Amino acid sequence: MTISDSTSAKPSDPIDIGRVTLMLGELKLPAIKAVWQEIAARADKEGWPAARFLAALAEHEIAERTRRRFERHLDEARLPPGKTLATFDFTAVPMVSKAQVMALAAGDSWLEKGANLILFGPPGGGKSHLSAALGLALIENGWRVLFTRTTDLVQKLQIARSELQLESALAKLDKYHLLILDDFAYVTKDQAETSVLFELIGARYERRSILITANQPFGEWGKIFPDQAMTLAAVDRLVHHATILEMNVESYRRRAAIERRQGPGRPPSRATTKNSS
Ligand code: ADP
Ligand code: MG
């Protein structure tokens, strides 16, 4: 059967608009279903060739799908709102290269092989902002991300373990190319909390990426986590394929407050507590 056999339509045949709309719904083309009449009217008015009309519809459906996927991924990521790379002041952290961060925001070089990113630095230095901003950029580039405070995820995993569901809970996190664990070394953790965290690291090792922010350098982790051997093993896996960014700067908020007090005239990046006292 040739294509012309399968449709006996003649140009003069009447078109059942309701039926076309029904068929588009059945074909699961909701975006085309919503706009086809409007685009058809325009095509008729402007005398578009049939192929141009079809291309416009297909492009519209694809654009809508991309937008919906982005919104779904943004929703599930639970990013803190308002933190973007555009609003991140790179001059405040001269030791972090903007070019390197922009390369990380593309994702391919590290997320494809399950490599990690670790941001160290004192409170207020922009670790959460930068990691959320990176998360957003990665979602825009089609990756799936989950941002969570480490304590919140630990609580969830512990509940899962008590219900003998830890393995499936860890497996469910596999759908995220990147897991952002904010404040990894913040609270003192007991043995049970530590072990779910380290099982998570083991489960994702060399497969799925983790981004960790921490106020304490590795050297202090032995004091934070109760089990030395377990901590060493986890650190080993984390850093095996990792980029480490040290953000040893003074609190951004504090500096901003000092700059406000000093008024205009001073280059902002110079105004530290030291020269203000
Ligand atoms: P950390 O997680 O390291 O404790 P945050 O990322 O929470 O620090 O930063 C504290 C506040 O200062 C946030 O509101 C953040 O948006 C802002 N901030 C920190 N560093 C920068 C920066 N370099 N550019 C813009 N805003 C920043
Ligand atoms: Mg933080």
Side-chain angles (χ1 to χ4, degrees):
M1 187 169 81
T2 66
I3 291 170
S4 58
D5 291 337
S6 72
T7 165
S8 53
K10 285 183 227 60
S12 57
D13 284 351
I15 292 161
D16 182 343
I17 288 179
R19 183 154 176 268
V20 173
T21 302
L22 271 178
M23 287 191 293
L24 290 168
E26 217 165 284
L27 290 168
K28 304 220 165 21
L29 298 167
I32 294 181
K33 183 179 161 191
V35 301
W36 78 271
Q37 291 186 66
E38 195 185 312
I39 298 184
R42 200 176 144 206
D44 289 343
K45 197 166 141 232
E46 297 176 9
W48 292 6
R52 170 132 179 241
F53 173 62
L54 182 59
L57 292 180
E59 270 159 24
H60 184 74
E61 184 70 42
I62 286 178
E64 272 299 295
R65 278 183 195 187
T66 307
R67 191 187 58 76
R68 281 201 305 270
R69 191 185 318 118
F70 168 73
E71 258 162 29
R72 238 181 9 252
H73 291 176
L74 188 62
D75 210 48
E76 74 183 6
R78 314 270 175 86
L79 296 172
K83 308 296 178 191
T84 64
L85 288 174
T87 59
F88 189 77
D89 174 8
F90 283 90
T91 64
V93 273
M95 61 288 272
V96 170
S97 136
K98 183 174 181 180
Q100 185 181 17
V101 169
M102 291 309 180
L104 289 168
D108 325 280
S109 60
W110 60 300
L111 298 185
E112 263 169 16
K113 53 183 187 218
N116 301 321
L117 180 60
I118 302 166
L119 306 185
F120 284 124
K127 301 181 301 298
S128 298
H129 184 140
L130 186 57
S131 53
L134 260 175
L136 177 62
L138 289 166
I139 295 167
E140 282 166 353
N141 287 323
W143 301 94
R144 292 178 76 178
V145 175
L146 177 67
F147 183 106
T148 172
R149 279 177 29 199
T150 308
T151 46
D152 293 346
L153 186 65
V154 164
Q155 297 316 315
K156 283 193 192 123
L157 292 179
Q158 276 195 293
I159 292 168
R161 176 155 65 191
S162 71
E163 293 165 353
L164 304 178
Q165 297 290 325
L166 181 59
E167 227 173 287
S168 79
L170 293 176
K172 276 194 194 125
L173 294 171
D174 269 0
K175 72 177 180 201
Y176 300 108
H177 301 100
L178 179 66
L179 206 54
I180 301 176
L181 301 178
D182 198 29
D183 287 326
F184 189 79
Y186 198 67
V187 279
T188 312
K189 297 176 187 64
D190 66 25
Q191 183 82 34
E193 291 185 332
T194 309
S195 74
V196 288
L197 208 46
F198 292 177
E199 270 179 63
L200 171 69
I201 290 168
R204 291 179 78 87
Y205 179 58
E206 290 189 328
R207 295 191 311 111
R208 287 283 189 235
S209 299
I210 301 178
L211 188 166
I212 279 171
T213 78
N215 296 328
Q216 317 272 355
F218 290 129
E220 302 290 311
W221 287 19
K223 292 181 205 150
I224 298 164
F225 299 110
D227 187 322
Q228 301 281 331
M230 233 192 199
T231 307
L232 267 181
V235 170
D236 211 54
R237 286 183 166 167
L238 272 179
V239 301
H240 186 194
H241 311 281
T243 301
I244 297 173
L245 301 181
E246 302 268 359
M247 301 173 67
N248 287 318
V249 288
E250 193 159 344
S251 163
Y252 189 82
R253 263 189 302 245
R254 214 172 105 162
R255 270 191 356 184
I258 289 164
E259 278 155 24
R260 273 196 302 277
R261 229 183 299 135
Q262 285 174 334
R266 238 170 225 258
S269 56
R270 296 282 148 65
T272 64
T273 359
K274 252 183 221 127
N275 63 26
S276 74
S277 55

